[in-house]
Amino acid sequence: DGYNITHLLHFTNQKKTGSHELNPALIRAQAEAIGLPLIQRNFQSYEVEFQKAAQELRMQGERFDAAVFGHIETHKPLVERICKELNIELILPLWKQNSEKIVSEIIDAGFEVILVSVRDGFLGKEWLGRKIDGKFLADLKNAGTAVDACGENGEFHTLVLNGPIFKKKIVVTGSDPVHKEGYWFLNITNFDLQEK
């Protein structure tokens, strides 16, 4: 849509592992593979730390007019409040879009995406590392639970390893399943950043 993305922002919650538990080095590798600078922060309050990161960028002379969020159905009041307080535009390109359509577009665009966490009672540990491919939507429907195709309600979380915006690709070379706090996590112990 003509926006120039200048920075990526990643948070790790210090108080709780939660459903997004990933090795922070993977996120750094992802940013390197894409070729954008990454701001990586520990936080106890997402809202407070987001504002601090934005203010620090401004103090360094960086100009930004908007923030992009991938929410489809949740968290809109929070990100609206953050953007309003920072006086920047809120961009929600996926808001209220059909999850199956989004997954199909991701596959068609050539992104390589795997599941890295699944919520107990929705999907089992056998889904960890599963690629989002042409069979993914049918397999989700056959799983027998009401799982949003994008995991919008926390049923699963993903990691993008490669795609058209990547200059390099991430290759997972070692992992094991870990269970805690009602989730199965793919504990990625080894990975390489490779030329495409």
Side-chain angles (χ1 to χ4, degrees), residues 56-85:
E56 287 173 13
L57 275 176
R58 286 179 171 157
M59 287 172 53
Q60 295 167 11
E62 297 284 347
R63 180 178 170 264
F64 59 94
D65 304 310
V68 182
F69 299 87
H71 304 299
I72 302 169
E73 294 281 342
T74 59
H75 306 302
K76 188 175 183 185
L78 171 64
V79 296
E80 281 179 329
R81 185 172 61 246
I82 290 170
C83 289
K84 183 177 181 184
E85 289 175 9

PDB file of all heavy atoms in Angstrom, residues 56-85:
ATOM      1  N   GLU A  56      12.106   6.430  22.204  1.00  0.00           N
ATOM      2  CA  GLU A  56      13.548   6.297  22.001  1.00  0.00           C
ATOM      3  C   GLU A  56      13.916   6.469  20.527  1.00  0.00           C
ATOM      4  O   GLU A  56      14.920   7.112  20.199  1.00  0.00           O
ATOM      5  CB  GLU A  56      14.036   4.957  22.531  1.00  0.00           C
ATOM      6  CG  GLU A  56      14.073   4.906  24.049  1.00  0.00           C
ATOM      7  CD  GLU A  56      14.393   3.522  24.600  1.00  0.00           C
ATOM      8  OE1 GLU A  56      14.837   2.641  23.823  1.00  0.00           O
ATOM      9  OE2 GLU A  56      14.192   3.320  25.811  1.00  0.00           O
ATOM     10  N   LEU A  57      13.096   5.896  19.640  1.00  0.00           N
ATOM     11  CA  LEU A  57      13.341   6.081  18.206  1.00  0.00           C
ATOM     12  C   LEU A  57      13.288   7.563  17.852  1.00  0.00           C
ATOM     13  O   LEU A  57      14.139   8.070  17.111  1.00  0.00           O
ATOM     14  CB  LEU A  57      12.308   5.315  17.377  1.00  0.00           C
ATOM     15  CG  LEU A  57      12.587   3.856  17.093  1.00  0.00           C
ATOM     16  CD1 LEU A  57      11.417   3.224  16.351  1.00  0.00           C
ATOM     17  CD2 LEU A  57      13.863   3.682  16.282  1.00  0.00           C
ATOM     18  N   ARG A  58      12.288   8.250  18.356  1.00  0.00           N
ATOM     19  CA  ARG A  58      12.161   9.682  18.067  1.00  0.00           C
ATOM     20  C   ARG A  58      13.345  10.466  18.617  1.00  0.00           C
ATOM     21  O   ARG A  58      13.835  11.397  17.971  1.00  0.00           O
ATOM     22  CB  ARG A  58      10.842  10.203  18.632  1.00  0.00           C
ATOM     23  CG  ARG A  58       9.644   9.758  17.812  1.00  0.00           C
ATOM     24  CD  ARG A  58       8.343  10.255  18.372  1.00  0.00           C
ATOM     25  NE  ARG A  58       7.251   9.991  17.431  1.00  0.00           N
ATOM     26  CZ  ARG A  58       5.983   9.908  17.776  1.00  0.00           C
ATOM     27  NH1 ARG A  58       5.619  10.078  19.040  1.00  0.00           N
ATOM     28  NH2 ARG A  58       5.057   9.658  16.864  1.00  0.00           N
ATOM     29  N   MET A  59      13.821  10.101  19.810  1.00  0.00           N
ATOM     30  CA  MET A  59      14.980  10.790  20.395  1.00  0.00           C
ATOM     31  C   MET A  59      16.234  10.561  19.553  1.00  0.00           C
ATOM     32  O   MET A  59      17.149  11.392  19.554  1.00  0.00           O
ATOM     33  CB  MET A  59      15.196  10.328  21.834  1.00  0.00           C
ATOM     34  CG  MET A  59      14.156  10.888  22.791  1.00  0.00           C
ATOM     35  SD  MET A  59      14.217  10.188  24.463  1.00  0.00           S
ATOM     36  CE  MET A  59      15.901  10.428  24.905  1.00  0.00           C
ATOM     37  N   GLN A  60      16.292   9.443  18.824  1.00  0.00           N
ATOM     38  CA  GLN A  60      17.427   9.156  17.943  1.00  0.00           C
ATOM     39  C   GLN A  60      17.268   9.830  16.581  1.00  0.00           C
ATOM     40  O   GLN A  60      18.087   9.640  15.696  1.00  0.00           O
ATOM     41  CB  GLN A  60      17.549   7.641  17.746  1.00  0.00           C
ATOM     42  CG  GLN A  60      17.894   6.879  19.003  1.00  0.00           C
ATOM     43  CD  GLN A  60      17.689   5.380  18.847  1.00  0.00           C
ATOM     44  OE1 GLN A  60      17.487   4.868  17.745  1.00  0.00           O
ATOM     45  NE2 GLN A  60      17.731   4.663  19.961  1.00  0.00           N
ATOM     46  N   GLY A  61      16.188  10.592  16.410  1.00  0.00           N
ATOM     47  CA  GLY A  61      15.963  11.317  15.170  1.00  0.00           C
ATOM     48  C   GLY A  61      15.201  10.540  14.114  1.00  0.00           C
ATOM     49  O   GLY A  61      15.074  10.999  12.979  1.00  0.00           O
ATOM     50  N   GLU A  62      14.694   9.369  14.482  1.00  0.00           N
ATOM     51  CA  GLU A  62      13.907   8.573  13.529  1.00  0.00           C
ATOM     52  C   GLU A  62      12.499   9.150  13.420  1.00  0.00           C
ATOM     53  O   GLU A  62      11.874   9.496  14.417  1.00  0.00           O
ATOM     54  CB  GLU A  62      13.823   7.115  13.980  1.00  0.00           C
ATOM     55  CG  GLU A  62      15.145   6.396  14.035  1.00  0.00           C
ATOM     56  CD  GLU A  62      15.664   6.003  12.666  1.00  0.00           C
ATOM     57  OE1 GLU A  62      14.902   6.060  11.689  1.00  0.00           O
ATOM     58  OE2 GLU A  62      16.840   5.628  12.582  1.00  0.00           O
ATOM     59  N   ARG A  63      12.005   9.229  12.208  1.00  0.00           N
ATOM     60  CA  ARG A  63      10.645   9.716  11.979  1.00  0.00           C
ATOM     61  C   ARG A  63       9.788   8.539  11.549  1.00  0.00           C
ATOM     62  O   ARG A  63      10.164   7.782  10.658  1.00  0.00           O
ATOM     63  CB  ARG A  63      10.648  10.775  10.878  1.00  0.00           C
ATOM     64  CG  ARG A  63       9.269  11.328  10.600  1.00  0.00           C
ATOM     65  CD  ARG A  63       9.324  12.420   9.524  1.00  0.00           C
ATOM     66  NE  ARG A  63       7.984  12.765   9.121  1.00  0.00           N
ATOM     67  CZ  ARG A  63       7.368  12.256   8.058  1.00  0.00           C
ATOM     68  NH1 ARG A  63       7.996  11.404   7.276  1.00  0.00           N
ATOM     69  NH2 ARG A  63       6.138  12.612   7.753  1.00  0.00           N
ATOM     70  N   PHE A  64       8.657   8.385  12.197  1.00  0.00           N
ATOM     71  CA  PHE A  64       7.701   7.362  11.777  1.00  0.00           C
ATOM     72  C   PHE A  64       6.299   7.911  12.005  1.00  0.00           C
ATOM     73  O   PHE A  64       6.054   8.677  12.931  1.00  0.00           O
ATOM     74  CB  PHE A  64       7.923   6.039  12.521  1.00  0.00           C
ATOM     75  CG  PHE A  64       7.817   6.137  14.012  1.00  0.00           C
ATOM     76  CD1 PHE A  64       6.619   5.873  14.649  1.00  0.00           C
ATOM     77  CD2 PHE A  64       8.906   6.507  14.775  1.00  0.00           C
ATOM     78  CE1 PHE A  64       6.511   5.987  16.023  1.00  0.00           C
ATOM     79  CE2 PHE A  64       8.810   6.615  16.149  1.00  0.00           C
ATOM     80  CZ  PHE A  64       7.606   6.356  16.779  1.00  0.00           C
ATOM     81  N   ASP A  65       5.427   7.520  11.111  1.00  0.00           N
ATOM     82  CA  ASP A  65       4.072   8.072  11.103  1.00  0.00           C
ATOM     83  C   ASP A  65       3.000   7.039  11.419  1.00  0.00           C
ATOM     84  O   ASP A  65       1.826   7.393  11.551  1.00  0.00           O
ATOM     85  CB  ASP A  65       3.758   8.661   9.719  1.00  0.00           C
ATOM     86  CG  ASP A  65       4.777   9.697   9.311  1.00  0.00           C
ATOM     87  OD1 ASP A  65       5.052  10.596  10.124  1.00  0.00           O
ATOM     88  OD2 ASP A  65       5.320   9.603   8.200  1.00  0.00           O
ATOM     89  N   ALA A  66       3.388   5.755  11.507  1.00  0.00           N
ATOM     90  CA  ALA A  66       2.387   4.707  11.665  1.00  0.00           C
ATOM     91  C   ALA A  66       3.003   3.469  12.292  1.00  0.00           C
ATOM     92  O   ALA A  66       4.225   3.327  12.341  1.00  0.00           O
ATOM     93  CB  ALA A  66       1.776   4.356  10.296  1.00  0.00           C
ATOM     94  N   ALA A  67       2.140   2.590  12.754  1.00  0.00           N
ATOM     95  CA  ALA A  67       2.549   1.270  13.235  1.00  0.00           C
ATOM     96  C   ALA A  67       1.607   0.237  12.638  1.00  0.00           C
ATOM     97  O   ALA A  67       0.398   0.472  12.535  1.00  0.00           O
ATOM     98  CB  ALA A  67       2.512   1.208  14.761  1.00  0.00           C
ATOM     99  N   VAL A  68       2.179  -0.899  12.236  1.00  0.00           N
ATOM    100  CA  VAL A  68       1.407  -1.966  11.595  1.00  0.00           C
ATOM    101  C   VAL A  68       1.255  -3.123  12.576  1.00  0.00           C
ATOM    102  O   VAL A  68       2.237  -3.565  13.176  1.00  0.00           O
ATOM    103  CB  VAL A  68       2.116  -2.475  10.318  1.00  0.00           C
ATOM    104  CG1 VAL A  68       1.285  -3.553   9.632  1.00  0.00           C
ATOM    105  CG2 VAL A  68       2.398  -1.323   9.367  1.00  0.00           C
ATOM    106  N   PHE A  69       0.038  -3.611  12.722  1.00  0.00           N
ATOM    107  CA  PHE A  69      -0.264  -4.744  13.589  1.00  0.00           C
ATOM    108  C   PHE A  69      -0.996  -5.803  12.776  1.00  0.00           C
ATOM    109  O   PHE A  69      -1.785  -5.473  11.895  1.00  0.00           O
ATOM    110  CB  PHE A  69      -1.151  -4.315  14.766  1.00  0.00           C
ATOM    111  CG  PHE A  69      -0.523  -3.278  15.644  1.00  0.00           C
ATOM    112  CD1 PHE A  69      -0.645  -1.928  15.348  1.00  0.00           C
ATOM    113  CD2 PHE A  69       0.192  -3.646  16.769  1.00  0.00           C
ATOM    114  CE1 PHE A  69      -0.061  -0.961  16.156  1.00  0.00           C
ATOM    115  CE2 PHE A  69       0.776  -2.691  17.592  1.00  0.00           C
ATOM    116  CZ  PHE A  69       0.647  -1.347  17.280  1.00  0.00           C
ATOM    117  N   GLY A  70      -0.767  -7.063  13.094  1.00  0.00           N
ATOM    118  CA  GLY A  70      -1.371  -8.162  12.343  1.00  0.00           C
ATOM    119  C   GLY A  70      -2.649  -8.701  12.940  1.00  0.00           C
ATOM    120  O   GLY A  70      -3.070  -9.802  12.600  1.00  0.00           O
ATOM    121  N   HIS A  71      -3.295  -7.953  13.810  1.00  0.00           N
ATOM    122  CA  HIS A  71      -4.520  -8.440  14.451  1.00  0.00           C
ATOM    123  C   HIS A  71      -5.656  -8.598  13.443  1.00  0.00           C
ATOM    124  O   HIS A  71      -5.796  -7.797  12.517  1.00  0.00           O
ATOM    125  CB  HIS A  71      -4.952  -7.492  15.558  1.00  0.00           C
ATOM    126  CG  HIS A  71      -3.897  -7.264  16.592  1.00  0.00           C
ATOM    127  ND1 HIS A  71      -3.381  -8.279  17.352  1.00  0.00           N
ATOM    128  CD2 HIS A  71      -3.244  -6.141  16.973  1.00  0.00           C
ATOM    129  CE1 HIS A  71      -2.475  -7.789  18.168  1.00  0.00           C
ATOM    130  NE2 HIS A  71      -2.354  -6.496  17.952  1.00  0.00           N
ATOM    131  N   ILE A  72      -6.461  -9.620  13.674  1.00  0.00           N
ATOM    132  CA  ILE A  72      -7.605  -9.891  12.805  1.00  0.00           C
ATOM    133  C   ILE A  72      -8.919  -9.603  13.540  1.00  0.00           C
ATOM    134  O   ILE A  72      -9.824  -8.982  12.999  1.00  0.00           O
ATOM    135  CB  ILE A  72      -7.597 -11.356  12.321  1.00  0.00           C
ATOM    136  CG1 ILE A  72      -6.296 -11.654  11.577  1.00  0.00           C
ATOM    137  CG2 ILE A  72      -8.800 -11.652  11.425  1.00  0.00           C
ATOM    138  CD1 ILE A  72      -6.072 -13.121  11.280  1.00  0.00           C
ATOM    139  N   GLU A  73      -9.015 -10.051  14.786  1.00  0.00           N
ATOM    140  CA  GLU A  73     -10.252  -9.908  15.549  1.00  0.00           C
ATOM    141  C   GLU A  73     -10.042  -9.370  16.968  1.00  0.00           C
ATOM    142  O   GLU A  73     -11.012  -9.027  17.632  1.00  0.00           O
ATOM    143  CB  GLU A  73     -10.960 -11.278  15.680  1.00  0.00           C
ATOM    144  CG  GLU A  73     -11.472 -11.860  14.376  1.00  0.00           C
ATOM    145  CD  GLU A  73     -12.781 -11.246  13.915  1.00  0.00           C
ATOM    146  OE1 GLU A  73     -13.478 -10.627  14.738  1.00  0.00           O
ATOM    147  OE2 GLU A  73     -13.105 -11.397  12.733  1.00  0.00           O
ATOM    148  N   THR A  74      -8.813  -9.350  17.458  1.00  0.00           N
ATOM    149  CA  THR A  74      -8.590  -9.030  18.867  1.00  0.00           C
ATOM    150  C   THR A  74      -7.611  -7.868  19.047  1.00  0.00           C
ATOM    151  O   THR A  74      -6.888  -7.508  18.131  1.00  0.00           O
ATOM    152  CB  THR A  74      -8.015 -10.258  19.614  1.00  0.00           C
ATOM    153  OG1 THR A  74      -6.785 -10.636  18.978  1.00  0.00           O
ATOM    154  CG2 THR A  74      -8.965 -11.435  19.577  1.00  0.00           C
ATOM    155  N   HIS A  75      -7.612  -7.286  20.222  1.00  0.00           N
ATOM    156  CA  HIS A  75      -6.646  -6.286  20.695  1.00  0.00           C
ATOM    157  C   HIS A  75      -6.747  -4.914  20.036  1.00  0.00           C
ATOM    158  O   HIS A  75      -5.878  -4.077  20.231  1.00  0.00           O
ATOM    159  CB  HIS A  75      -5.200  -6.797  20.563  1.00  0.00           C
ATOM    160  CG  HIS A  75      -4.951  -8.110  21.213  1.00  0.00           C
ATOM    161  ND1 HIS A  75      -5.172  -8.331  22.549  1.00  0.00           N
ATOM    162  CD2 HIS A  75      -4.512  -9.288  20.708  1.00  0.00           C
ATOM    163  CE1 HIS A  75      -4.874  -9.579  22.845  1.00  0.00           C
ATOM    164  NE2 HIS A  75      -4.478 -10.189  21.749  1.00  0.00           N
ATOM    165  N   LYS A  76      -7.813  -4.661  19.283  1.00  0.00           N
ATOM    166  CA  LYS A  76      -7.900  -3.364  18.607  1.00  0.00           C
ATOM    167  C   LYS A  76      -7.943  -2.181  19.580  1.00  0.00           C
ATOM    168  O   LYS A  76      -7.241  -1.191  19.361  1.00  0.00           O
ATOM    169  CB  LYS A  76      -9.105  -3.325  17.667  1.00  0.00           C
ATOM    170  CG  LYS A  76      -9.133  -2.064  16.806  1.00  0.00           C
ATOM    171  CD  LYS A  76     -10.254  -2.084  15.797  1.00  0.00           C
ATOM    172  CE  LYS A  76     -10.205  -0.848  14.924  1.00  0.00           C
ATOM    173  NZ  LYS A  76     -11.338  -0.784  14.008  1.00  0.00           N
ATOM    174  N   PRO A  77      -8.718  -2.233  20.672  1.00  0.00           N
ATOM    175  CA  PRO A  77      -8.728  -1.076  21.592  1.00  0.00           C
ATOM    176  C   PRO A  77      -7.338  -0.743  22.145  1.00  0.00           C
ATOM    177  O   PRO A  77      -6.983   0.428  22.279  1.00  0.00           O
ATOM    178  CB  PRO A  77      -9.690  -1.500  22.706  1.00  0.00           C
ATOM    179  CG  PRO A  77     -10.593  -2.509  22.062  1.00  0.00           C
ATOM    180  CD  PRO A  77      -9.724  -3.233  21.065  1.00  0.00           C
ATOM    181  N   LEU A  78      -6.551  -1.768  22.436  1.00  0.00           N
ATOM    182  CA  LEU A  78      -5.204  -1.547  22.959  1.00  0.00           C
ATOM    183  C   LEU A  78      -4.330  -0.824  21.942  1.00  0.00           C
ATOM    184  O   LEU A  78      -3.706   0.196  22.255  1.00  0.00           O
ATOM    185  CB  LEU A  78      -4.557  -2.877  23.356  1.00  0.00           C
ATOM    186  CG  LEU A  78      -3.074  -2.823  23.722  1.00  0.00           C
ATOM    187  CD1 LEU A  78      -2.848  -1.986  24.971  1.00  0.00           C
ATOM    188  CD2 LEU A  78      -2.512  -4.223  23.884  1.00  0.00           C
ATOM    189  N   VAL A  79      -4.274  -1.323  20.727  1.00  0.00           N
ATOM    190  CA  VAL A  79      -3.384  -0.712  19.732  1.00  0.00           C
ATOM    191  C   VAL A  79      -3.910   0.641  19.268  1.00  0.00           C
ATOM    192  O   VAL A  79      -3.128   1.530  18.915  1.00  0.00           O
ATOM    193  CB  VAL A  79      -3.077  -1.673  18.550  1.00  0.00           C
ATOM    194  CG1 VAL A  79      -2.310  -2.889  19.051  1.00  0.00           C
ATOM    195  CG2 VAL A  79      -4.317  -2.090  17.798  1.00  0.00           C
ATOM    196  N   GLU A  80      -5.240   0.828  19.280  1.00  0.00           N
ATOM    197  CA  GLU A  80      -5.785   2.160  18.986  1.00  0.00           C
ATOM    198  C   GLU A  80      -5.321   3.169  20.024  1.00  0.00           C
ATOM    199  O   GLU A  80      -4.907   4.282  19.679  1.00  0.00           O
ATOM    200  CB  GLU A  80      -7.324   2.115  18.975  1.00  0.00           C
ATOM    201  CG  GLU A  80      -7.926   1.554  17.721  1.00  0.00           C
ATOM    202  CD  GLU A  80      -9.447   1.508  17.775  1.00  0.00           C
ATOM    203  OE1 GLU A  80     -10.026   1.347  18.865  1.00  0.00           O
ATOM    204  OE2 GLU A  80     -10.060   1.620  16.695  1.00  0.00           O
ATOM    205  N   ARG A  81      -5.375   2.787  21.288  1.00  0.00           N
ATOM    206  CA  ARG A  81      -4.958   3.678  22.375  1.00  0.00           C
ATOM    207  C   ARG A  81      -3.463   4.009  22.262  1.00  0.00           C
ATOM    208  O   ARG A  81      -3.063   5.171  22.386  1.00  0.00           O
ATOM    209  CB  ARG A  81      -5.273   3.023  23.723  1.00  0.00           C
ATOM    210  CG  ARG A  81      -5.002   3.915  24.917  1.00  0.00           C
ATOM    211  CD  ARG A  81      -5.503   3.338  26.231  1.00  0.00           C
ATOM    212  NE  ARG A  81      -4.878   2.067  26.556  1.00  0.00           N
ATOM    213  CZ  ARG A  81      -5.516   0.897  26.608  1.00  0.00           C
ATOM    214  NH1 ARG A  81      -6.806   0.831  26.340  1.00  0.00           N
ATOM    215  NH2 ARG A  81      -4.869  -0.211  26.923  1.00  0.00           N
ATOM    216  N   ILE A  82      -2.646   2.994  21.990  1.00  0.00           N
ATOM    217  CA  ILE A  82      -1.203   3.214  21.862  1.00  0.00           C
ATOM    218  C   ILE A  82      -0.912   4.207  20.735  1.00  0.00           C
ATOM    219  O   ILE A  82      -0.160   5.169  20.911  1.00  0.00           O
ATOM    220  CB  ILE A  82      -0.467   1.880  21.615  1.00  0.00           C
ATOM    221  CG1 ILE A  82      -0.497   1.014  22.880  1.00  0.00           C
ATOM    222  CG2 ILE A  82       0.970   2.131  21.160  1.00  0.00           C
ATOM    223  CD1 ILE A  82      -0.015  -0.414  22.657  1.00  0.00           C
ATOM    224  N   CYS A  83      -1.509   3.972  19.583  1.00  0.00           N
ATOM    225  CA  CYS A  83      -1.241   4.837  18.426  1.00  0.00           C
ATOM    226  C   CYS A  83      -1.774   6.258  18.643  1.00  0.00           C
ATOM    227  O   CYS A  83      -1.131   7.232  18.243  1.00  0.00           O
ATOM    228  CB  CYS A  83      -1.814   4.220  17.159  1.00  0.00           C
ATOM    229  SG  CYS A  83      -0.882   2.760  16.625  1.00  0.00           S
ATOM    230  N   LYS A  84      -2.930   6.357  19.292  1.00  0.00           N
ATOM    231  CA  LYS A  84      -3.484   7.687  19.570  1.00  0.00           C
ATOM    232  C   LYS A  84      -2.556   8.468  20.482  1.00  0.00           C
ATOM    233  O   LYS A  84      -2.271   9.642  20.243  1.00  0.00           O
ATOM    234  CB  LYS A  84      -4.870   7.559  20.202  1.00  0.00           C
ATOM    235  CG  LYS A  84      -5.533   8.884  20.458  1.00  0.00           C
ATOM    236  CD  LYS A  84      -6.925   8.713  21.025  1.00  0.00           C
ATOM    237  CE  LYS A  84      -7.554  10.080  21.252  1.00  0.00           C
ATOM    238  NZ  LYS A  84      -8.865   9.978  21.878  1.00  0.00           N
ATOM    239  N   GLU A  85      -2.043   7.809  21.545  1.00  0.00           N
ATOM    240  CA  GLU A  85      -1.149   8.490  22.483  1.00  0.00           C
ATOM    241  C   GLU A  85       0.176   8.886  21.818  1.00  0.00           C
ATOM    242  O   GLU A  85       0.792   9.866  22.201  1.00  0.00           O
ATOM    243  CB  GLU A  85      -0.906   7.615  23.701  1.00  0.00           C
ATOM    244  CG  GLU A  85      -2.143   7.509  24.590  1.00  0.00           C
ATOM    245  CD  GLU A  85      -1.977   6.549  25.758  1.00  0.00           C
ATOM    246  OE1 GLU A  85      -0.847   6.084  26.001  1.00  0.00           O
ATOM    247  OE2 GLU A  85      -2.994   6.271  26.420  1.00  0.00           O
TER     248      GLU A  85
END
